[in-house]
Amino acid sequence: MTSFNLSAWALRNRAIVIYLMIVAIVAGVWSFNRLGRSEDPSFTIKTMVVQAGWPGATVEDTLRQVTERLERTLQDTPHLDSVRSFTRAGVTTIFVALDGATPAKQVPDIWYMVRKRIGDMRHTLPAGVVGPGFDDEFGDTFGLIYGFTADGFSMRELRDHVEEVRSKLLRVKDVGKIELLGAQDERVFIEVSMAQLASLGVDRAALVGALQAQNIVRPAGTVQAGGETVALRVSGAFGSEQDIRDINFSVGGRLLRLGDIAEIRRDGIDPPQPLFRVDGQPALGLAIAMRDGGDILALGRNVRAALAQATADLPIGIESRLVADQAVTVDGAIADFMTSLWQAVLIILAVSFVSLGVRAGLIVALVIPLTLAIVFAVMDLVGIDMHRVSLGALIIALALLVDDAMTTTDATVNRLAAGDAPHDAASFAFGNYAFAMLAGTFVTIAGFVPVGFAASAAGEYTYSLFAVVSIALVVSWFVAVLFTPLFGVAILRAPKPDAEPAGPGFAMRLYARLLERALALRWITIAAAAGLFGLSLLALPLVPRQFFPSSDRPELLVDLALPQNASIHASLETTRRFEALLKGDADVERWSSYVGRGAIRFYLPLNAQLPNSFFSQAVIVAKDVAARERLSAKLERALAEQFPELVSRVYPLELGPPVGWPVQYRVSGPDPARVREIALGLAATVSQAKGTKLVNFDWNEPARELRIRIDQDQARLLGLSSSTIASVLATVVSGTTITQIRDDIHLVDVVLRATPEERASLSSLLTLQVPLPSGRTVALGQFATLDYAQEQPLIWRRDRTPTLTVQADVAPGVLPETVATALAPEIAELRRDLPAGYDIAVGGTVEESAKSLASVIAVVPLMLLLMLTVLIVQLRSFRKLALVVSVAPLGLIGVVAALLLSNRPLGFVAILGIVALVGMIMKNAVILIGQIDAERAAGKDLHAAVTAACMLRFRPIMLTAVSTVLGMIPIAPTVFWGPMAVSIMGGLLVATLLTLVFLPVAFVALFARDERPGPAPAAAKAA
């Protein structure tokens, strides 16, 4: 008995305790209403994008002179995991990925260091390089997206109205950022025939100079007129394309109006920037991101109200359409989880009322909301929002948090039946079980330590599981010893003196017979338990593996990738053809398309794609999950039959950190050609594996290029240079920006280029008239020849080594881990035959799963140290410690059986549950051993003490286990929590039964030699 009894103090100071209870309830209700709501827990996307341009450079030059230099500098980044880059002609894009163990708080400082180091080496890049630019907000999530379509308005007019709406929405509370989707910069095109200019004797350079000179902004000075300062302004600045048409310039002594020899018009940039479409119509979009710590539900309501007010002022013909609304998704998800939470509460209450009786059950009914209220208050205090993981953690913690209250209530009932006064009975549990319960609480929390301290993206994603369960367990202990005794005194009653003592029930009588038989055959019992554990180890490989399951949201993503030299015009045409499949489909609610880029990150775990002209992505919202599955099958068939030129993929949203293609193998080596050969052989192997489909490469498609070979000697004789010729060709084909029109807040580039007939024809290039310094012109074919060649349109590298990734999807019902396991022997054989310097590395789901699992395993030693420390302090015996540790692995028997019977995969979340299960099992073992020690100290012999302790602890231990198992029924069918719930349900149930049978048998076997003939006190010796 301890000298200080917290329960007795609480009974003596009821007013204070009741006051604290009221404060806790009020704080809990207040915190519950102000907790942030979101779909997923926030985790840091530890990737920065560095991009630079070198207009006119080849892929090889860009790779060697820009990508290579930047990568060398970026490889010195602290906590670096990898540097990945893809290089196109004139553009390099580099992904700097930090190690998963990098603390989130250090990431901004690392990105600042990256900027500084790149700035320091900027002068070493070739002249003409644009940038580098940085994007360290790669992980911003835009949970609300609205599309705007226009009927009878130009895209510029639509953009002006959408910009006004954007300005109003930026003032809404909790709005952090708004991006405009699909906007096209305007250009004023001056299209003129180069042949006509030559025939008229117009010098192109003089024409450009005249336009620039008239439009330039130059100060004309000021005049001090008396006491007034008057600024001088010179007219001539371009205000519209009409001003450009009206320009006259002198040619051969006569004036020519520019509008008479050129087509001048305003249009969108050519080629277009990434496009946005809604339900098959061109659109502009507003993507809205929430500020950190905001409430997505409140944001959704506020944005809808502000948008309704803003769109009411839009002219007829401009309509807003919902594209993505995370608020609705979160609202539904939280409503479902809250329903599951209340269902779990009702289940546990039902178990309590049936097993403990009405009065004792009423105590549990009061303890649950009180404990939850305090948990909500602490969650608010430490900044844990309500989302998928924290709500699931509350359900998992629910059964655990009533464990101590049940123990205290059960002890109070027993002491009242033994004749103790109410105050003594209510404080008995603290004196006898409080520290055993506290040790059990710490052991259980230690079981969740790998969840909380796993240094990986998956660990960061699931961190709140550890935090919420730990908070709930600590709070439940204080509630059990501080508040529960007051409930006990107020509600529980001693049995009437003339009442017949209730005999043991059927379950307890059955357990008593089983225990007696097991003690009599203790070595057979121990061998049977060991045999079952061995069988579970043998059966473990039969359980399918999985990283994270697919989301249960109704969205489908469809990737549409053309050959990598395709233009955005080809991507747009492909997207239109694909959208025709969706129109009128009964399973489709709505859809949006992103042409020339991937979808903006509207969902945190989305595997976001950067802009590429050959790539498009559609986001389809199905009617429900069943419709999503039907639609997926239909679209896969249609894409295979009608779009054979595409590398396409139809897939649902992912849960957990983004991965992309589930099956990936990276082939790397110094020679890109050899890398391609190896990758082709590897792809053949992957395509033959059972369950794989859509095998493809992230790059492996040579594209043709037209090389203009200049006779340099002849060019010099004509007074030409490669620079002059390149400038003329750029003007003809792509156009050259010569000046700008200042239109309101917009700057519109004025682009000079050839007519469409001259631009579109490769055959007419040789007849292109190139101006000479003398004023004459000469055909390009007189000093140049044309030939075709092939080059890679882009090259991926990883850690400065060319890397080609073989990618594949899996058939329905097949898990990527299963495919990777089956392919492992063949991949190992291929790897053995590789030349020196070449390698094949597994990527995708398998790699991410291995990294995440390794991060968990790395923390297991700390978990074991904490557990063993708590246990040795509580038990003070190495033999008892060994007993408790020997019980912990027995949960694997139930885990394997439950997963196999339910056909659930062993995923990352399920593994976390198994690790946490160790603490739950040990807690029961600690309490049971403590009761055995108490019975031996009371003078009973070993056999009698073990039997009495088991009979006394049978009901509370089984009650806790049954409550936990039944309390997880509401989340067992869910996609995310189901495997973990099934693992804990099966493991805890079997382990509890074995704890009540195996542990007492092992205790007797281990301590039998301590028994001495004579009085029982000898049995009380500590080991």
Side-chain angles (χ1 to χ4, degrees):
M1 297 288 289
T2 184
S3 57
F4 176 75
N5 190 308
L6 186 59
S7 298
W9 177 88
L11 292 169
R12 291 195 302 270
N13 298 275
R14 294 190 189 185
I16 296 176
V17 176
I18 292 172
Y19 170 76
L20 293 175
M21 201 181 304
I22 294 171
V23 169
I25 293 172
V26 172
V29 172
W30 184 68
S31 297
F32 177 79
N33 290 322
R34 68 187 299 270
L35 281 173
R37 268 77 166 173
S38 57
E39 183 174 8
D40 288 281
S42 61
F43 62 91
T44 306
I45 304 291
K46 298 170 185 175
T47 301
M48 172 187 256
V49 180
V50 180
Q51 196 166 41
W54 190 15
T58 64
V59 171
E60 186 67 21
D61 286 344
T62 307
L63 185 66
R64 298 298 178 195
Q65 300 300 325
V66 182
T67 306
E68 174 70 15
R69 295 174 192 269
L70 292 174
E71 285 180 338
R72 285 176 181 269
T73 301
L74 292 171
Q75 277 194 313
D76 294 332
T77 303
H79 299 284
L80 183 69
D81 177 63
S82 65
V83 173
R84 298 181 299 117
S85 66
F86 76 85
T87 304
R88 293 178 294 171
V91 179
T92 181
T93 303
I94 303 174
F95 298 85
V96 186
L98 302 182
D99 187 82
T102 308
K105 293 182 178 179
Q106 294 184 19
V107 172
D109 292 336
I110 294 174
W111 295 152
Y112 170 76
M113 189 180 301
V114 168
R115 281 185 166 87
K116 182 176 180 300
R117 288 179 175 177
I118 294 297
D120 291 342
M121 60 80 63
R122 171 70 181 80
H123 68 281
T124 67
L125 296 176
V129 168
V130 179
F134 307 89
D135 181 8
D136 58 358
E137 297 178 343
F138 194 57
D140 285 348
T141 303
F142 298 85
L144 299 171
I145 303 176
Y146 291 91
F148 294 81
T149 58
D151 183 9
F153 293 86
S154 68
M155 292 303 288
R156 165 59 190 275
E157 292 170 328
L158 175 61
R159 179 174 181 173
D160 288 343
H161 288 294
V162 172
E163 289 278 13
E164 291 178 8
V165 175
R166 179 179 180 272
S167 299
K168 294 175 182 178
L169 294 182
L170 280 170
R171 297 194 289 268
V172 174
K173 182 183 178 184
D174 284 348
V175 169
K177 178 196 281 188
I178 301 180
E179 283 202 7
L180 188 62
L181 305 177
Q184 303 294 307
D185 291 337
E186 282 192 305
R187 297 288 184 268
V188 172
F189 292 106
I190 303 175
E191 295 180 346
V192 60
S193 169
M194 296 298 156
Q196 184 182 8
L197 284 184
S199 65
L200 292 173
V202 177
D203 183 1
R204 183 182 63 90
L207 173 62
V208 170
L211 290 170
Q212 292 174 338
Q214 179 168 331
N215 195 46
I216 197 168
V217 176
R218 286 277 177 86
T222 58
V223 175
Q224 303 296 326
E228 183 181 5
T229 300
V230 180
L232 304 182
R233 296 284 184 262
V234 177
S235 68
F238 299 147
S240 68
E241 50 268 40
Q242 186 60 43
D243 294 340
I244 300 177
R245 290 191 189 97
D246 293 338
I247 289 180
N248 294 312
F249 54 95
S250 175
V251 177
R254 58 194 179 94
L255 289 177
L256 278 179
R257 180 174 174 271
L258 182 59
D260 295 334
I261 62 171
E263 176 69 25
I264 301 171
R265 60 187 175 85
R266 184 184 294 223
D267 205 345
I269 189 172
D270 185 23
Q273 295 164 307
L275 301 162
F276 181 61
R277 297 170 62 83
V278 176
D279 294 338
Q281 297 184 35
L284 295 182
L286 290 181
I288 304 168
M290 181 177 66
R291 67 166 180 80
D292 291 340
D295 183 343
I296 188 65
L297 299 183
L299 176 65
R301 290 191 299 270
N302 296 338
V303 167
R304 281 192 293 272
L307 187 65
Q309 185 176 0
T311 53
D313 299 330
L314 292 177
I316 296 174
I318 296 179
E319 296 181 357
S320 67
R321 305 187 186 194
L322 175 67
V323 174
D325 191 345
Q326 195 178 40
V328 173
T329 303
V330 171
D331 194 21
I334 289 180
D336 290 343
F337 264 104
M338 293 306 296
T339 301
S340 299
L341 182 63
W342 302 133
Q343 288 173 349
V345 169
L346 292 175
I347 290 172
I348 293 172
L349 288 179
V351 172
S352 303
F353 280 115
V354 170
S355 56
L356 295 175
V358 175
R359 290 184 177 274
L362 183 59
I363 293 177
V364 176
L366 293 172
V367 163
I368 289 175
L370 177 60
T371 306
L372 287 176
I374 300 174
V375 170
F376 287 139
V378 179
M379 286 174 61
D380 186 25
L381 188 65
V382 299
I384 299 175
D385 294 338
M386 294 179 68
H387 45 65
R388 186 191 313 275
V389 176
S390 62
L391 285 169
L394 280 173
I395 296 174
I396 292 170
L398 187 61
L400 302 177
L401 63 83
V402 298
D403 184 8
D404 292 340
M406 286 181 174
T407 299
T408 301
T409 303
D410 188 65
T412 304
V413 170
N414 290 335
R415 296 314 303 169
L416 286 173
D420 287 1
H423 283 67
D424 295 335
S427 59
F428 173 83
F430 186 90
N432 290 270
Y433 301 128
F435 290 98
M437 292 190 303
L438 187 59
T441 296
F442 287 147
V443 168
T444 306
I445 291 174
F448 284 89
V449 163
V451 183
F453 295 93
S456 65
E460 188 178 352
Y461 183 79
T462 55
Y463 170 79
S464 53
L465 174 61
F466 160 77
V468 172
V469 170
S470 300
I471 291 167
L473 289 174
V474 172
V475 169
S476 70
W477 185 85
F478 279 102
V479 170
V481 300
L482 196 62
F483 299 132
T484 305
L486 268 68
F487 295 146
V489 169
I491 297 172
L492 296 178
R493 296 291 180 266
K496 295 179 181 179
D498 55 348
E500 283 289 329
F506 172 76
M508 191 167 287
R509 293 197 303 272
L510 182 64
Y511 170 65
R513 289 197 295 270
L514 176 63
L515 179 62
E516 201 59 42
R517 190 71 174 164
L519 288 170
L521 303 171
R522 59 176 177 263
W523 296 113
I524 294 177
T525 303
I526 293 173
L532 287 173
F533 179 67
L535 284 175
S536 68
L537 289 177
L538 293 175
L540 187 58
L542 301 177
V543 180
R545 306 298 175 91
Q546 185 183 50
F547 184 36
F548 279 94
S550 298
S551 171
D552 54 359
R553 285 177 50 156
E555 286 94 342
L556 267 180
L557 298 178
V558 182
D559 294 351
L560 307 170
L562 286 163
Q564 291 167 346
N565 64 339
S567 69
I568 193 171
H569 298 288
S571 294
L572 177 59
E573 179 58 30
T574 301
T575 302
R576 286 172 174 159
R577 288 171 53 209
F578 173 76
E579 289 174 338
L581 301 176
L582 304 177
K583 291 180 180 178
D585 194 305
D587 290 326
V588 176
E589 179 73 27
R590 61 179 183 273
W591 79 89
S592 56
S593 304
Y594 298 79
V595 182
R597 60 167 295 174
I600 196 167
R601 194 186 297 276
F602 65 93
Y603 170 75
L604 181 59
L606 181 71
N607 184 37
Q609 305 288 330
L610 287 180
N612 271 307
S613 61
F614 59 83
F615 182 82
S616 300
Q617 190 172 55
V619 182
I620 307 167
V621 181
K623 299 285 187 182
D624 49 41
V625 175
R628 184 191 76 181
E629 298 307 312
R630 292 193 301 269
L631 186 62
S632 177
K634 287 186 290 187
L635 291 178
E636 285 189 349
R637 285 195 302 270
L639 286 167
E641 295 170 359
Q642 302 177 35
F643 296 82
E645 74 279 14
L646 293 179
V647 174
S648 58
R649 184 181 175 217
V650 183
Y651 56 102
L653 297 176
E654 300 172 336
L655 290 175
V659 174
W661 289 87
V663 177
Q664 296 180 26
Y665 292 95
R666 294 190 300 271
V667 182
S668 58
D671 182 10
R674 186 74 178 104
V675 167
R676 290 178 59 205
E677 291 178 14
I678 298 170
L680 287 171
L682 175 60
T685 301
V686 173
S687 63
Q688 293 170 7
K690 183 179 179 181
T692 59
K693 62 178 184 178
L694 302 176
V695 180
N696 65 95
F697 307 93
D698 61 346
W699 62 275
N700 194 23
E701 302 162 359
R704 66 173 183 164
E705 66 174 1
L706 182 61
R707 295 182 179 176
I708 302 171
R709 301 192 180 277
I710 306 297
D711 183 337
Q712 296 294 338
D713 293 336
Q714 185 66 32
R716 287 191 185 91
L717 288 174
L718 294 171
L720 297 174
S721 66
S722 293
S723 174
T724 304
I725 297 166
S727 175
V728 172
L729 289 173
T731 301
V732 170
V733 178
S734 301
T736 301
T737 300
I738 56 175
T739 187
Q740 291 178 321
I741 290 178
R742 294 172 285 281
D743 182 4
D744 195 21
I745 64 169
H746 303 285
L747 286 175
V748 181
D749 288 343
V750 177
V751 176
L752 177 66
R753 65 182 184 181
T755 59
E757 295 78 14
E758 293 181 347
R759 292 199 317 271
S761 174
L762 293 176
S763 60
S764 65
L765 277 178
L766 289 177
T767 61
L768 174 69
Q769 296 298 310
V770 179
L772 300 177
S774 62
R776 297 184 299 108
T777 62
V778 63
L780 180 64
Q782 293 190 18
F783 56 87
T785 58
L786 306 181
D787 61 32
Y788 286 96
Q790 281 192 336
E791 70 169 2
Q792 291 292 339
L794 63 86
I795 295 178
W796 275 97
R797 305 207 314 176
R798 185 182 180 93
D799 296 330
R800 295 172 52 211
T801 302
T803 302
L804 199 160
T805 302
V806 179
Q807 308 172 138
D809 206 348
V810 292
V814 178
L815 298 177
E817 288 82 355
T818 305
V819 172
T821 302
L823 282 170
E826 296 180 67
I827 299 299
E829 186 175 344
L830 286 173
R831 191 180 285 118
R832 281 195 300 269
D833 297 335
L834 292 178
Y838 293 84
D839 187 33
I840 298 175
V842 67
T845 302
V846 175
E847 181 183 39
E848 288 300 321
S849 179
K851 285 182 181 179
S852 300
L853 185 58
S855 70
V856 173
I857 294 174
V859 190
V860 168
L862 174 62
M863 176 194 81
L864 295 176
L865 176 64
L866 293 174
M867 284 182 172
L868 295 176
T869 302
V870 173
L871 291 173
I872 198 66
V873 170
Q874 176 64 24
L875 300 173
R876 306 189 182 191
S877 165
F878 282 107
R879 282 187 289 175
K880 294 173 185 174
L881 176 64
L883 273 178
V884 173
V885 172
S886 69
V887 172
L890 299 181
L892 189 64
I893 301 170
V895 169
V896 173
L899 289 176
L900 286 175
L901 290 173
S902 63
N903 196 29
R904 294 297 186 94
L906 181 62
F908 181 74
V909 179
I911 291 173
L912 298 183
I914 294 170
V915 173
L917 186 62
V918 172
M920 302 180 199
I921 297 169
M922 285 184 172
K923 179 178 182 179
N924 287 335
V926 168
I927 294 176
L928 183 56
I929 288 177
Q931 188 65 47
I932 293 174
D933 287 341
E935 298 295 332
R936 295 180 74 192
K940 295 178 182 177
D941 61 41
L942 179 61
H943 188 281
V946 167
T947 303
C950 289
M951 298 305 293
L952 188 63
R953 299 304 306 163
F954 174 77
R955 185 171 72 165
I957 287 178
M958 282 303 299
L959 182 59
T960 301
V962 171
S963 299
T964 303
V965 170
L966 297 180
M968 291 193 181
I969 288 177
I971 61 170
T974 62
V975 172
F976 186 80
W977 291 108
M980 182 180 195
V982 169
S983 300
I984 292 178
M985 291 165 74
L988 185 60
L989 190 59
V990 172
T992 300
L993 292 172
L994 289 175
T995 300
L996 290 168
V997 176
F998 170 79
L999 182 62
V1001 170
F1003 194 99
V1004 170
L1006 195 58
F1007 286 89
R1009 69 175 184 271
D1010 290 352
E1011 289 293 288
R1012 298 287 186 271
K1021 293 180 181 178

